[in-house]
Amino acid sequence: MIECPVGITHGTWSMNDAPVFFAAVIAAHFIAVTNQNQFLLVTAPDVERDEITEECFKYCTRGGRLMIDSGIFGIALAAAKRRGVDHNEGLRTPPEQIDGWSDFISSWKRCITVLGDACWGYVEIDLGGTEQKRKTRAALEAEGYRPIPVVHPITDGWDYFDELADTYDRLCIGNLVTSNEATRIDILRTVAERRRGRRVKWIHALGVTAGPPWLTAPTESCDSSSHATPLKHGLPMIETSAFRVGDVAEMPYRHAEKTAYVAMRKLLYHDADNLRRAVNVHLR
């Protein structure tokens, strides 16, 4: 791993990339879409479980921008179901209550040790409350890892955002996937206000499609898997969603479901120029 001070996250990221929408795909679909998609997101557990580390490395060396998520979302979802609480509370589950936690940590480390310098960036292991996340992050940083920290504003509070925004060059924002539209907008607008004058240069919104409500206060990047829904039905993925926002081309399109990804295609394809202009205004 490349040595760098705490606060500087690992990866091949560049401010020139913004704004970016990362296409989130499962490992089973990764190889099939790498040739035509410049920005992809996979989870570390997927990479390890499906043994696609070599394919991921090749993708990065060809110039692909690969973001590696921790995979904590799924763990928290299972923990929340087991405990009978919502997902946001599930994210606060103490790691010692997770079966196979040490194996999960080892798996994450194996993945990042190989891909950490080649990928665009990788997300920290963000399970537990703020104190637990500080402890986990400090332990990883002591071993030379430089992950992108995650703030869950609903459960962590905004003082924690301020603390990390003053310390790190990149942050991820959580609590967005399962929130309603009004809450998402409130979180994104608060992020836009509180980041001003702080060290953080790049903010990634986890699990948010590049459309309303993200456009009300867009971050430098976001991701979702809405575009990949057709893959479950054996149909082509929506190609436009995996390019830089606004950098779209004529692509064949068929849909199997008529929900989020249909609206996203309309926004990214038909209104690409307006979208890019709107995002750039917010990011200046």
Side-chain angles (χ1 to χ4, degrees):
M1 306 288 288
I2 295 175
E3 293 186 9
C4 58
V6 171
I8 298 177
T9 55
H10 277 154
T12 60
W13 70 288
S14 167
M15 289 302 300
N16 294 328
D17 288 337
V20 173
F21 177 72
F22 283 88
V25 294
I26 61 173
H29 297 150
F30 180 80
I31 297 175
V33 301
T34 53
N35 289 331
Q36 66 265 34
N37 297 283
Q38 187 180 2
F39 297 92
L40 293 175
L41 179 146
V42 294
T43 69
D46 257 7
V47 171
E48 278 281 298
R49 183 173 55 251
D50 288 67
E51 300 180 341
I52 61 166
T53 303
E54 183 177 353
E55 286 76 12
C56 288
F57 189 81
K58 290 178 180 177
Y59 172 73
C60 294
T61 57
R62 293 197 305 268
R65 303 290 195 272
L66 180 66
M67 183 174 183
I68 303 177
D69 195 8
S70 64
I72 289 298
F73 182 91
I75 288 179
L77 199 63
K81 183 177 180 180
R82 185 178 65 252
R83 295 171 54 197
V85 298
D86 65 20
H87 183 261
N88 290 337
E89 185 59 31
L91 288 164
R92 292 167 55 86
T93 302
E96 58 268 20
Q97 294 183 14
I98 303 298
D99 291 338
W101 181 248
S102 61
D103 292 337
F104 176 87
I105 296 289
S106 297
S107 175
W108 184 94
K109 289 180 179 179
R110 285 194 301 271
C111 174
I112 301 307
T113 297
V114 176
L115 298 174
D117 292 331
C119 71
W120 182 88
Y122 53 92
V123 180
E124 71 171 348
I125 301 172
D126 53 316
L127 186 71
T130 55
E131 288 305 314
Q132 178 60 55
K133 287 193 287 188
R134 288 189 186 100
K135 180 180 178 181
T136 302
R137 188 186 317 119
L140 293 174
E141 290 173 342
E143 295 184 43
Y145 298 102
R146 296 292 183 266
I148 306 171
V150 181
V151 179
H152 299 98
I154 293 175
T155 51
D156 293 337
W158 288 107
D159 287 346
Y160 187 65
F161 171 86
D162 296 344
E163 172 191 327
L164 296 184
D166 283 335
T167 306
Y168 291 89
D169 55 3
R170 286 187 291 177
L171 293 180
C172 290
I173 303 298
N175 286 147
L176 296 168
V177 175
T178 58
S179 293
N180 58 38
E181 182 169 316
T183 301
R184 288 184 180 184
I185 290 174
D186 182 62
I187 289 174
L188 291 169
R189 285 179 173 172
T190 304
V191 166
E193 289 294 324
R194 298 185 78 103
R195 71 179 294 180
R196 294 178 181 177
R198 301 187 186 277
R199 179 181 181 179
V200 66
K201 295 180 175 64
W202 188 292
I203 292 180
H204 179 88
L206 290 165
V208 177
T209 297
W214 180 74
L215 273 175
T216 63
T219 52
E220 281 75 14
S221 60
C222 58
D223 75 86
S224 80
S225 59
S226 296
H227 65 285
T229 302
L231 292 174
K232 295 187 295 185
H233 304 274
L235 301 175
M237 186 174 72
I238 300 175
E239 306 297 347
T240 55
S241 65
F243 291 87
R244 288 182 60 185
V245 176
D247 293 350
V248 294
E250 184 75 34
M251 288 284 183
Y253 170 74
R254 293 192 296 163
H255 64 265
E257 295 180 359
K258 299 180 180 180
T259 52
Y261 72 90
V262 174
M264 180 174 63
R265 177 185 182 270
K266 179 181 178 182
L267 186 63
L268 290 179
Y269 182 78
H270 296 296
D271 303 322
D273 291 336
N274 289 333
L275 171 64
R276 191 164 183 79
R277 279 196 293 270
V279 171
N280 283 333
V281 166
H282 280 280
L283 294 180
R284 285 174 185 167

